[in-house]
Amino acid sequence: MSDRKPAGQFIDAAIDLLRRVRDEEADTVEAAGTLLADTVQNGGRLFAFGAGHSSLAAQDVVYRAGGLALMNLLAVPGVVGVDVMPATLGSALERVDGLASAVLDSSPLREGDTLVIISLSGRNALPVEMALNARALGVRVIGVTSVAYASRTKSRHTSGTFLKDHCDIVLDSKIAVGDAELTLDTVPAPFAPASTVVTSALLQAVMATAAATLADRGIEPPLLRSGNVDGGHEWNGRVLEQYRDRIFYRR
């Protein structure tokens, strides 16, 4: 490690990863943003799903100031975040075969919608089945994952495949297997994960692309404003009412 303190080393590592995804994922970000714009323009609905800490990035694009009002969270009880007790239960549920099918059967997802699935490893049964079953319904799937896991780990799905194998578009976060950017001789395990920083940045880049693409087509993008600025609540009320048939988090 360099002479820089761990805090600076971590920020430098995150910046390097952000530069990589900016340069190496530019085309896929453009494609993903265009797909979201196409879905909005064609009357479809937008959904995001992530399990465990991958859910943080999914939640970051739902009901978010400056974000698309049409992005809905596809929630799976017990795996969204780490509030389930015990927290290890969430990790166990990701490996349960058939759970994704049950969730989709009771969800509002339908043909013509787009689903963003976030899974760092992309190896567990839940995200793989979610992508498989969603596409079978006629839903377009954008996967956000670290492609490196597919060559350095084994799939936990019965098919032996990974999330990346069942997506229309794959955004590679470039996160190393293990999701830890720093090591120290005095610390027995690698530490300082950067996946949340990078994945959230990737998704916000996709959202920005979608909004700009809609505007280029002469369509006002359905954006939310901060409720902490004057007129924000009124603005949001208008947008939520206009698109109420495609928004599910207010029901």
Side-chain angles (χ1 to χ4, degrees):
M1 296 181 69
S2 71
D3 294 333
R4 187 184 292 273
K5 292 183 178 181
Q9 291 173 345
F10 172 74
I11 292 174
D12 286 346
I15 290 171
D16 288 344
L17 283 164
L18 289 170
R19 285 176 174 150
R20 281 193 66 194
V21 297
R22 178 196 64 191
D23 297 338
E24 298 174 21
E25 296 299 302
D27 290 343
T28 50
V29 167
E30 184 72 21
T34 300
L35 175 55
L36 294 189
D38 291 343
T39 304
V40 172
Q41 183 174 4
N42 294 331
R45 294 88 58 80
L46 309 177
F47 295 84
F49 165 76
H53 286 93
S54 290
S55 179
L56 296 174
Q59 294 177 59
D60 191 49
V61 295
V62 176
Y63 190 52
R64 181 64 191 261
L68 292 173
L70 273 60
M71 184 61 70
N72 300 277
L73 185 68
L74 182 62
V76 179
V79 305
V80 179
V82 292
D83 57 340
V84 62
M85 294 296 290
T88 52
L89 176 61
S91 297
L93 288 173
E94 288 187 66
R95 305 179 189 183
V96 174
D97 293 330
L99 180 56
S101 179
V103 169
L104 288 175
D105 286 346
S106 61
S107 80
L109 270 166
R110 68 188 186 194
E111 183 176 2
D113 293 344
T114 294
L115 171 62
V116 179
I117 301 177
I118 305 149
S119 173
L120 177 60
S121 72
R123 68 187 297 216
N124 289 313
L126 183 55
V128 174
E129 287 186 357
M130 190 75 76
L132 268 168
N133 294 343
R135 292 182 85 190
L137 293 173
V139 174
R140 302 292 296 277
V141 174
I142 298 171
V144 188
T145 187
S146 171
V147 172
Y149 276 83
S151 60
R152 296 190 57 189
T153 67
K154 292 183 178 180
S155 170
R156 290 176 175 148
H157 187 250
T158 54
S159 68
T161 60
F162 288 75
L163 169 62
K164 73 174 186 64
D165 300 315
H166 306 287
C167 299
D168 297 281
I169 299 169
V170 176
L171 297 171
D172 184 3
S173 64
K174 317 293 182 183
I175 299 296
V177 174
D179 192 17
E181 294 300 318
L182 304 184
T183 58
L184 276 176
D185 293 340
T186 54
V187 179
F191 58 103
S195 60
T196 303
V197 173
V198 176
T199 302
S200 291
L202 266 173
L203 284 179
Q204 291 298 348
V206 170
M207 299 302 134
T209 301
T213 301
L214 287 167
D216 287 344
R217 297 175 180 176
I219 301 169
E220 180 181 332
L223 296 171
L224 295 172
R225 291 190 175 187
S226 171
N228 296 313
V229 299
D230 291 342
H233 286 299
E234 293 76 13
W235 172 281
N236 292 342
R238 176 182 65 81
V239 174
L240 294 175
E241 179 61 29
Q242 181 179 352
Y243 291 97
R244 63 184 306 171
D245 61 325
R246 292 194 262 173
I247 295 172
F248 300 93
Y249 51 79
R250 61 177 295 178
R251 297 179 183 179

